[in-house]
């Protein structure tokens, strides 16, 4: 991946705060540099190689161990990985393959249409549904940002009405970045009000807030 999304609210995460309290900005810098390396490779990296690339000495090695202890990164069979990032990479790869297949099918349809008749202007780009744009595809680059709320967000916005239209398709305007930002902000607000045990996607009040935002 050329990039991965960084949650602007991550500093409020308990584990990130714990890392900061123990090792300050040096610890945060090491953690996010590890994530950049893992995102670039899109797979686990040999721990020994990764430490060498990041010039991890005795002092940073203690920080590294702490990051593993609080489960921000994991090591197995001599390789280092981040669970969320690894999961995102798999979904990202699946989405890329699906998109490539849809584009290939669309191009094939274009060729067929041109061969069948040349008396009609070929406008299959409008008529051929690129398998109908799916919200899950639009969300793919934002999986890491939504984190555990990905399934709740997707489930809420893909609920269908009697005509089979999904909720997000009925919106006059639907800016994915703003919707995610509002979802995350409302999650924080509800958590701060003592609703930590209630899933965001099942909160009636949360649904009402989304309709009015």
């Amino acid at each position: 991946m050329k990039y991965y999304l960084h949650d602007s609210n991550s500093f409020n995460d308990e584990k990130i705060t714990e890392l900061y309290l123990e090792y300050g900005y040096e610890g945060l810098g090491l953690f996010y540099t590890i994530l950049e390396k893992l995102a670039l490779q899109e797979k686990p990296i040999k721990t020994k190689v990764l430490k060498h690339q990041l010039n991890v000495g005795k002092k940073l090695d203690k920080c590294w161990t702490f990051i593993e202890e609080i489960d921000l990164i994991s090591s197995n069979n001599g390789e280092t990985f981040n669970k969320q990032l690894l999961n995102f990479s798999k979904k990202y790869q699946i989405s890329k393959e699906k998109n490539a297949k849809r584009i290939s099918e669309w191009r094939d349809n274009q060729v067929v249409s041109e061969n069948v008749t040349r008396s009609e202007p070929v406008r299959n780009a409008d008529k051929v549904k690129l398998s109908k744009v799916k919200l899950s595809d639009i969300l793919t680059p934002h999986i890491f940002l939504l984190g555990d709320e990905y399934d709740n967000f997707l489930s809420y916005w893909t609920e269908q009405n009697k005509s089979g239209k999904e909720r997000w398709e009925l919106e006059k305007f639907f800016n994915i970045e703003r919707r995610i930002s509002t979802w995350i902000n409302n999650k924080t607000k509800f958590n701060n009000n003592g609703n930590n045990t209630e899933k965001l996607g099942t909160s009636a009040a949360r649904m009402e807030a989304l309709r009015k935002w």
Side-chain angles (χ1 to χ4, degrees), residues 156-168:
Y156 174 77
W157 284 112
T158 54
E159 182 180 356
Q160 296 183 350
N161 63 9
K162 293 181 180 179
S163 301
K165 282 279 188 179
E166 295 181 353
R167 189 191 302 272
W168 74 280

Side-chain angles (χ1 to χ4, degrees), residues 6-186:
H6 171 72
D7 187 355
S8 59
N9 194 41
S10 65
F11 196 77
N12 291 325
D13 181 86
E14 181 179 343
K15 292 180 181 178
I16 295 295
T17 302
E18 193 174 353
L19 175 60
Y20 171 73
L21 290 174
E22 191 72 23
Y23 288 96
Y25 289 112
E26 186 175 37
L28 296 181
L30 176 61
F31 171 60
Y32 285 114
T33 304
I34 292 172
L35 288 188
E36 288 178 3
K37 287 287 187 180
L38 294 174
L40 184 62
Q41 294 294 325
E42 298 185 17
K43 62 181 181 180
I45 302 177
K46 290 184 178 179
T47 305
K48 184 178 179 180
V49 173
L50 187 55
K51 286 185 177 182
H52 176 74
Q53 290 176 341
L54 300 182
N55 196 27
V56 176
K58 291 183 178 180
K59 182 179 179 181
L60 284 180
D61 195 52
K62 291 181 180 179
C63 180
W64 185 294
T65 301
F66 183 78
I67 294 174
E68 288 184 337
E69 288 175 353
I70 60 178
D71 204 29
L72 282 175
I73 60 173
S74 302
S75 293
N76 187 34
N77 294 327
E79 294 182 326
T80 294
F81 58 93
N82 173 271
K83 295 176 183 177
Q84 282 186 305
L85 198 57
L86 191 60
N87 185 47
F88 171 67
S89 295
K90 291 178 181 177
K91 291 183 178 180
Y92 177 76
Q93 186 61 37
I94 292 172
S95 178
K96 278 204 309 183
E97 292 172 357
K98 288 182 178 179
N99 285 338
K101 183 179 179 181
R102 281 197 294 270
I103 291 172
S104 177
E105 290 174 349
W106 176 78
R107 286 174 177 167
D108 290 342
N109 286 331
Q110 287 286 70
V111 172
V112 171
S113 297
E114 289 176 357
N115 290 336
V116 169
T117 175
R118 291 183 179 276
S119 61
E120 299 179 7
V122 178
R123 289 188 55 81
N124 283 344
D126 294 329
K127 295 181 180 179
V128 175
K129 295 182 180 179
L130 296 177
S131 76
K132 180 184 177 183
V133 177
K134 295 182 180 179
L135 185 59
S136 58
D137 294 334
I138 300 174
L139 270 179
T140 298
H142 308 280
I143 291 175
F144 191 75
L145 180 62
L146 279 165
D148 294 338
E149 284 301 319
Y150 173 82
D151 290 334
N152 291 330
F153 184 92
L154 183 62
S155 176
Y156 174 77
W157 284 112
T158 54
E159 182 180 356
Q160 296 183 350
N161 63 9
K162 293 181 180 179
S163 301
K165 282 279 188 179
E166 295 181 353
R167 189 191 302 272
W168 74 280
E169 295 175 308
L170 299 174
E171 297 292 321
K172 187 174 182 180
F173 300 103
F174 193 87
N175 182 289
I176 191 66
E177 287 82 8
R178 290 187 60 193
R179 297 288 178 171
I180 291 175
S181 176
T182 300
W183 188 278
I184 297 300
N185 288 338
N186 281 331

